[in-house]
Amino acid sequence: MSIVAGCDVGSLTSKAVIMNGQKIIGSAIIRSKARPEESAMAAMDEALGSAAKAAAMDKPLAAAGTTLNQIAYSVGTGYGRDKIPFINETRSEIACHGKGARWMVPTVRTVIDIGGQDCKAIKLNDAGEVENFITNDKCASGTGRFLEVMADVLNVGIHELGEMSARARSPIMLASTCTVWAQADVIKYLNSGYLLEDIGAGINSAMAKRVAILANTIKVEKEICMTGGVAKNSGVVATLEKILGHRIRKIRRADPQLAGAIGAAVFAFEKLNGQQGEKI
């Protein structure tokens, strides 16, 4: 049996991935619940459901999905990892995002992960092991929470912010990267009649500048990829590419928001196959 799982319980979203060998057969991204253990179980239940649905599509006459008991080994990560009831071991978010990014982009050397309430820049060596990293978890600016707050002020979905940059004519400039002060700036621009697209582009730009400062402290190297939900915001990605002066590789193998859970599942696979991997 080589079915493994990874579960990443974050502050805003929780993710679960089920792999057969190193092939993803089920996954889920859900809004985190009040308690980490509830988030983990809900994410895993949904991932098992998606695995069952995929199995039914492959073999409609013998539809039999994966059950929790069939998972040979599982690894947990994220801020709530110590509360996940069904895992065999835990790994740090840094290690899992580095491992997950390497699985998605085998040539990657710099990983920029923007989570719900933190941001990380991770440098990998030739072997894909973590060589250096830095995190920003003391302030909401430069995190997914910053974008979420601003999207609420604009009364648009957070997923709409990326496309808004492409339609902007004259992006505004936010005077402060502090979430509270930036929110006041956005309200001021709204009341002054500025286009939503121009405000949205200014928000993305402020976000990218904040992340670039963090990433440059570890001297980014090609290849670069972004993980986390903000990786799906084309406005932030495009601005970040301009500031860093490097192209950011687009992740196509899986949803970039699943990177931590994928890394955890790959650690589980390596454990089954006698590979200890790095300990961070």
Side-chain angles (χ1 to χ4, degrees):
M1 182 185 295
S2 59
I3 297 177
V4 296
C7 186
D8 176 7
V9 177
S11 56
L12 293 184
T13 60
S14 294
K15 289 75 69 176
V17 166
I18 301 168
M19 302 177 88
N20 186 353
Q22 292 210 39
K23 177 185 176 183
I24 295 177
I25 59 172
S27 65
I29 301 172
I30 67 162
R31 187 82 177 176
S32 290
K33 301 179 181 297
R35 298 183 185 280
E37 54 268 38
E38 294 174 0
S39 301
M41 289 305 302
M44 183 54 70
D45 282 347
E46 194 165 316
L48 289 168
S50 74
K53 186 176 180 180
M57 291 177 68
D58 282 346
K59 299 176 182 178
L61 296 180
T66 304
T67 66
L68 198 56
N69 291 334
Q70 290 176 291
I71 296 173
Y73 205 84
S74 58
V75 172
T77 189
Y79 96 97
R81 59 184 179 271
D82 292 329
K83 300 291 186 181
I84 303 174
F86 51 80
I87 56 169
N88 299 99
E89 69 170 274
T90 62
R91 293 278 184 153
S92 75
E93 293 168 81
I94 299 295
C96 287
H97 276 275
K99 181 72 73 175
R102 193 76 168 192
W103 182 87
M104 294 189 284
V105 181
T107 56
V108 70
R109 293 294 299 270
T110 303
V111 183
I112 298 172
D113 172 67
I114 305 177
Q117 295 189 3
D118 66 3
C119 177
K120 318 172 195 66
I122 306 167
K123 185 182 288 188
L124 305 178
N125 62 18
D126 288 338
E129 298 168 336
V130 176
E131 185 177 278
N132 194 9
F133 69 92
I134 187 168
T135 64
N136 167 33
D137 57 2
K138 303 297 183 185
C139 174
S141 64
T143 73
R145 180 60 181 159
F146 175 84
L147 293 181
E148 191 173 66
V149 169
M150 301 307 158
D152 284 346
V153 174
L154 296 182
N155 196 27
V156 301
I158 192 169
H159 62 282
E160 297 179 74
L161 284 176
E163 295 178 1
M164 291 173 73
S165 286
R167 301 194 301 271
R169 297 176 183 173
S170 181
I172 59 103
M173 183 175 294
L174 294 176
S176 174
T177 55
C178 167
T179 303
V180 175
W181 290 113
Q183 186 178 12
D185 277 351
V186 168
I187 292 171
K188 180 190 70 178
Y189 281 113
L190 274 175
N191 292 338
S192 299
Y194 281 75
L195 294 174
L196 284 181
E197 289 82 358
D198 290 342
I199 301 174
I203 291 168
N204 290 333
S205 179
M207 174 84 176
K209 289 175 182 174
R210 182 76 177 182
V211 174
I213 291 172
L214 183 79
N216 275 326
T217 60
I218 62 164
K219 296 180 181 178
V220 297
E221 293 181 14
K222 295 190 294 185
E223 304 273 351
I224 306 169
C225 78
M226 281 182 67
T227 59
V230 180
K232 293 181 274 191
N233 182 319
S234 57
V236 172
V237 174
T239 307
L240 197 51
E241 286 180 328
K242 290 180 183 175
I243 298 173
L244 296 177
H246 294 296
R247 179 173 168 264
I248 295 174
R249 289 285 304 271
K250 190 173 181 65
I251 293 175
R252 303 182 188 281
R253 193 175 182 185
D255 188 322
Q257 203 168 355
L258 290 170
I262 290 173
V266 174
F267 273 125
F269 173 82
E270 291 178 348
K271 183 79 173 186
L272 277 186
N273 287 274
Q275 304 168 36
Q276 291 301 313
E278 57 189 336
K279 281 283 187 182
I280 295 177

